Amino acid sequence: MGTSHTTGIALRPGRIEWTVLRESRKGREMVEHGQAEWTPAASGDLYATPEAQAALRQAARHVRGEVGLAADSGKTLMRVVDLPSTDPAELAGMAELQVDKFSPFPVEHMAVAVEALSKGEKSTRTLIAATQREIVEKAGAALRQAGVHAHRVDVEVLGWWQLLRDAGAIPEKGCKAFLLVESNGAELVLARDGQPVLFRSLGVPGESVESFIEEMVEETAYTLTAVESEIGGGDVMPMEVRLSRDMPAEGLLERLKDACAVAPESCPLEELPPLSEGVARRGLDDAARRFSLAPAAWGMEEQSRKVQRQLLAWTAGFLLVWLAAVGGLTLGLKIQRARQAGLDAEAVRLEGPAAEVRALKDRIEVFERYVDRTYSALECLREVSQLLPEGIDLTAFEYRKGDDLTLRGEATAADSIIDYVQALQQTPLFLSAKAGNIRAKGSGSERKSEFTVTAVLPGGQAPEEPAL
């Protein structure tokens, strides 16, 4: 398992809160928590003002990994129902039918999310949440404009539920009610045997806090009475009231005890981690992260961005390799040219001394030829005279030192000429010997054959074979 990050974001009018969590082999740890505030606009788009955009961009600089956005619980309809199926695909279709029953808006205008809480043999206890798609798209558009893409959309009260469960406040057996009160609104959560039974928003404080508290107590009493048949009556239900420090609520516990037949206990809401951390924790849970109110188009956009990033990465990699190859070839060519230029300059520098050496060598060879008597004219004349058979008279002897010699003569018999040439070929003094034209001269007893023989000396060039 590698290291993964997730970011939870709670976006409210005038405030954005974020928490970054990291999960690795060592466990889960909080990397960063922060918030930014601004003065909300009185009307229009709450996130379009320069102050709001600046706050959102500040949060964008801290976002890491997958991003979960918490939708406003007061604008989200939530139901916990038992659906007669265990197939996740069927549960989604059944959830839309349920939404069509309790939603005041057409289902095609709603964003719907489903989470399986527990499974039986043939049924699934399912949490269904629905909110207007327009609300989700506006919040997502505001974040995208600041550079943040939300991968999933959760609900604020589910973030609180995650924090309560992690804190060990949810009993594994029996029922317990939780009343979460803050300046942004109040939420009622009812749990039984470790699972949620009911989520209900109790409204937002208005100008009169006293009036809000009175309405909140009435709605709580009405809700608990309505679900009494489902959870069973009898003993007094324990209730945990989590009050935000900026929300004065004197006498709230006594009113709840009198109106709702509950045993309330109060503790500060701030004892729990921030709401955004609860949203981030759900993003690290495989079952909870599948719960999302995000439109399907967001996933397609994200997939398109991933493909674009991959294409850009591949293109950049190809360009880097291509540039490296071209750079290497160019550098190699420059090195070769520099080396060639150096060799050419060296050759030019050595050309003069080399020419002098060649000239000196030629003079030495010529001198050696003249000093060496092995192939002198006298030695050659002595050799051809010793080998001269009877019946042949030499009429000319032409000697070219270091090259060849030419003999001309007359013979009474042509066969003696051939024998003479063969004898010259076998002597080590000559490289080769070759007879030239042999022609007859005279007639009768006066008939003779004239011939020419060329013998090549060492250092000379053998005569070319006559073309046939």
Side-chain angles (χ1 to χ4, degrees), residues 52 59 84 113 131 136 187 236 330 355 363 369 458 468:
T131 188
V136 176
E187 308 290 339
V236 176
T330 303
R363 287 196 296 271
R369 289 178 184 178
L468 297 179

Side-chain angles (χ1 to χ4, degrees), residues 58-141:
Q58 178 183 348
R61 291 193 291 268
H62 301 274
V63 168
R64 298 182 65 182
E66 187 175 273
V67 178
L69 171 64
D72 187 349
S73 301
K75 299 178 181 178
T76 304
L77 302 174
M78 305 182 70
R79 296 289 188 276
V80 177
V81 297
D82 291 321
L83 297 179
S85 176
T86 58
D87 185 354
E90 292 182 357
L91 292 178
M94 293 179 179
E96 289 190 359
L97 294 177
Q98 293 290 328
V99 171
D100 196 30
K101 295 178 180 178
F102 63 75
S103 172
F105 304 102
V107 69
E108 58 268 16
H109 294 164
M110 304 294 287
V112 180
V114 177
E115 181 176 344
L117 300 176
S118 61
K119 288 186 177 182
E121 293 183 0
K122 297 182 180 180
S123 64
T124 303
R125 193 157 186 82
T126 307
L127 169 64
I128 303 174
T131 188
Q132 289 180 272
R133 187 178 291 112
E134 180 183 3
I135 297 174
V136 176
E137 290 177 346
K138 283 184 177 180

Side-chain angles (χ1 to χ4, degrees), residues 141-375:
L143 290 177
R144 283 197 301 272
Q145 189 174 354
V148 178
H149 175 74
H151 300 82
R152 45 183 295 273
V153 177
D154 214 320
V155 184
E156 291 177 345
V157 70
L158 294 180
W160 290 122
W161 170 263
Q162 181 74 36
L163 296 175
L164 289 170
R165 188 175 64 178
D166 293 345
I170 310 296
E172 293 297 327
K173 295 294 182 180
C175 295
K176 187 175 182 179
F178 296 88
L179 184 60
L180 311 174
V181 185
E182 54 181 331
S183 60
N184 192 61
E187 308 290 339
L188 176 63
V189 180
L190 183 59
R192 183 180 62 185
D193 298 336
Q195 293 291 340
V197 175
L198 176 143
F199 294 99
R200 184 176 179 186
S201 175
L202 301 179
V204 179
E207 296 181 359
S208 173
V209 176
E210 177 64 27
S211 177
F212 169 70
I213 292 176
E214 183 177 349
E215 293 178 3
M216 180 174 56
V217 172
E218 292 179 358
E219 290 294 329
T220 301
Y222 171 78
T223 302
L224 294 179
T225 301
V227 298
E228 185 177 355
S229 59
E230 181 178 352
I231 63 176
D235 297 336
V236 176
M237 181 184 299
M239 172 180 282
E240 186 174 302
V241 181
R242 295 271 180 170
L243 283 170
S244 176
R245 289 192 179 98
D246 60 355
M247 188 63 192
E250 296 181 3
L252 176 60
L253 299 184
E254 290 75 11
R255 295 185 185 186
L256 289 171
K257 184 177 181 180
D258 295 339
C260 308
V262 295
E265 296 180 358
S266 177
C267 54
L269 183 63
E270 286 76 12
E271 287 185 358
L272 294 175
L275 171 60
S276 56
E277 182 172 340
V279 178
R281 290 184 187 182
R282 282 177 57 82
L284 293 175
D285 182 86
D286 291 337
R289 66 194 300 267
R290 287 193 290 267
F291 176 94
S292 179
L293 293 166
W298 289 11
M300 297 174 62
E301 290 177 4
E302 176 64 13
Q303 187 64 28
S304 176
R305 276 190 290 270
K306 287 183 179 179
V307 172
Q308 291 178 359
R309 286 194 294 268
Q310 289 178 350
L311 290 176
L312 288 175
W314 292 339
T315 303
F318 173 77
L319 288 177
L320 287 176
V321 173
W322 181 80
L323 289 175
V326 172
L329 291 174
T330 303
L331 180 61
L333 182 60
K334 288 183 178 180
I335 294 175
Q336 290 296 330
R337 286 178 177 175
R339 184 178 299 172
Q340 182 65 38
L343 293 175
D344 291 343
E346 183 69 13
V348 172
R349 187 181 66 82
L350 297 176
E351 183 64 29
E356 294 177 1
V357 171
R358 286 194 297 268
L360 179 60
K361 182 180 178 183
D362 292 341
R363 287 196 296 271
I364 292 173
E365 289 179 353
V366 171
F367 178 75
E368 289 177 345
R369 289 178 184 178
Y370 281 101
V371 172
D372 188 4
R373 294 299 179 181
T374 304
Y375 303 102

